[in-house]
Amino acid sequence: MATEAPVELKDVTFAYGAGELRRNVLREVDLSVAPGEIVLLTGPSGSGKTTLLTLVGALRAMQLGSCRVLGQELAGASEGDRVKLRRRIGFIFQNHNLLGFLTARQNVAMAMELDSRMTEAGRLARAGEMLAAVGLTGHEEKPPSQLSGGQRQRVAVARALAGSPGLILADEPTAALDKVSGQEVVHLLRDLARGQGVPILLVTHDPRILDIADRIIAMEDGRIVPATTAASPAPEPAGLPPPR
Ligand code: ADP
Ligand code: MG
């Protein structure tokens, strides 16, 4: 069986507003993410990155074009189908979106709440393992307010991966972090996703994290534009003799 791309967009066009205020913010976007691939989406503010991510994440209804995600066609999909798909996706946002009245462990366990095969004790234990995997052993019972920004975002990474998702979608996950914690968070995300073979579509304009990408694509004014492939290691300078 040929492996289907986890994300496959064809001719996606999207507009907000109605009547005279209607404006296309996505225009004929084609995009695919291969199994296990880490794709970074860059581009200026307002270019449509978040809108694209919310369509792929089934958080918004499609208008024109085709968007297949984890085998589900989202064009014309019912709200019920979209809800089902969302449960198979791990989301990471700029501001972690943790619940303040839950501990780190409970926040992570929440991602598995809909998995009826697991007991509550099993979920809490698995949450502890995920928190250990992101380096937060000893912080399991703390609420978000007692964690640093970087630690909170690591909890968000643990939560996104805890439910064994088929896809990770991240929107500016390092925007609120300093350089070091930002890099730590995305490196953890990359390593854990690679370990599980989970593809990632990550929106960022943080040049400090482009190294995690298998592929970088750029958007401008609602369109995908050619971008440099800075992800692969720089080629050896040609024509120079090897150092002695
Ligand atoms: P990016 O994430 O690249 O900054 P967005 O997808 O958030 O871009 O926004 C693309 C365009 O759509 C912008 O012009 C923005 O103002 C507009 N926009 C975003 N969300 C909405 C909304 N809910 N209603 C109307 N316009 C929106
Ligand atoms: Mg955005």
Side-chain angles (χ1 to χ4, degrees):
M1 196 182 85
T3 321
E4 190 185 4
V7 177
E8 184 89 61
L9 275 71
K10 283 242 180 320
D11 259 346
V12 171
T13 291
F14 187 90
Y16 291 108
E20 287 187 358
L21 295 175
R22 192 168 173 84
R23 220 187 107 235
N24 280 348
V25 298
L26 296 178
R27 304 151 195 269
E28 294 153 7
V29 171
D30 290 345
L31 165 68
S32 69
V33 178
E37 192 182 25
I38 299 178
V39 175
L40 262 59
L41 182 59
T42 66
S45 179
S47 56
K49 306 181 298 296
T50 294
T51 303
L52 186 64
L53 211 68
T54 56
L55 287 174
V56 173
L59 297 164
R60 204 183 274 295
M62 288 276 294
Q63 294 172 351
L64 283 175
S66 158
C67 177
R68 285 186 72 81
V69 178
L70 302 177
Q72 166 75 53
E73 173 58 69
L74 286 169
S78 67
E79 173 62 20
D81 284 339
R82 288 200 281 134
V83 169
K84 263 191 231 153
L85 178 62
R86 291 204 285 268
R87 292 183 187 146
R88 299 166 58 206
I89 297 174
F91 292 94
I92 303 171
F93 299 102
Q94 176 174 342
N95 290 313
H96 64 74
N97 292 65
L98 302 176
L99 295 176
F101 54 89
L102 297 179
T103 64
R105 184 196 298 277
Q106 290 167 332
N107 266 290
V108 176
M110 258 189 53
M112 296 169 276
E113 207 136 86
L114 297 158
D115 189 340
S116 53
R117 294 162 304 180
M118 291 178 92
T119 62
E120 181 62 14
R123 282 190 276 269
L124 290 170
R126 164 101 173 129
E129 288 167 20
M130 290 306 302
L131 286 169
V134 297
L136 289 177
T137 301
H139 299 281
E140 296 89 342
E141 315 315 326
K142 293 183 183 171
S145 59
Q146 286 175 30
L147 299 171
S148 70
Q151 289 173 329
R152 280 179 226 162
Q153 205 57 313
R154 282 191 269 158
V155 176
V157 167
R159 181 186 54 183
L161 283 156
S164 304
L167 171 68
I168 295 280
L169 296 177
D171 196 356
E172 311 266 11
T174 63
L177 304 180
D178 62 52
K179 176 176 178 178
V180 172
S181 16
Q183 285 175 333
E184 262 175 28
V185 162
V186 292
H187 287 151
L188 271 166
L189 173 61
R190 174 195 59 193
D191 295 345
L192 291 171
R194 285 241 197 275
Q196 295 186 15
V198 186
I200 301 177
L201 179 58
L202 185 150
V203 164
T204 188
H205 48 223
D206 185 347
R208 304 164 307 187
I209 65 166
L210 298 181
D211 66 310
I212 69 158
D214 295 319
R215 190 153 55 94
I216 300 173
I217 53 183
M219 285 193 80
E220 221 177 271
D221 199 19
R223 293 183 197 278
I224 303 279
V225 294
T228 50
T229 44
S232 35
E236 296 295 317
L240 293 177
R244 319 186 32 164

